[in-house]
Amino acid sequence: MKKILLVEDDPFIMDIYSIQFKKEGYQLDVANDCQMALEKMKTSYPDLVILDIDFGPEKMNGWELLKIIRDDPRLKNLNVIILSNQNKEQSRDKIVELGVRKFFLKVETSIDEITDYVKQILK
């Protein structure tokens, strides 16, 4: 069974995606901030990380987490897709530099589109 780690601080989005991915047969783990996600990645290597970017000014953001992932020899090859409301155009360089598989804008993307993409990656 393929493992997905969803890093999201919105409980509504977390619940919707949890139900969807479990229904599709994936093992899903969730983290509501980047520090928790990093700890979970080190103990249970997921096949895919779905990462939000914004977690408030007092917490590590998704870009910082992604830099740590890419600098860690054990985690650097993780598949990461971003699910965010942050402007993709402003982040284009980071997306390429940090090896993001795909960037989804929350307000423009349906759960079915994301599920279909996840299925492609985790075949």
Side-chain angles (χ1 to χ4, degrees), residues 90-110:
Q90 293 176 346
S91 304
R92 190 165 300 280
D93 291 342
K94 289 179 185 177
I95 292 168
V96 172
E97 174 192 338
L98 296 171
V100 174
R101 294 286 303 252
K102 186 88 169 170
F103 186 106
F104 291 102
L105 193 59
K106 287 180 185 177
V107 297
E108 294 180 355
T109 310
S110 73

Side-chain angles (χ1 to χ4, degrees), residues 51 62-71 80 82 98 100:
L51 177 62
W63 296 121
E64 293 166 327
L65 174 61
L66 197 47
K67 175 98 172 79
I68 290 168
I69 291 169
R70 295 304 183 226
D71 289 343
V80 177
I82 291 176
L98 296 171
V100 174

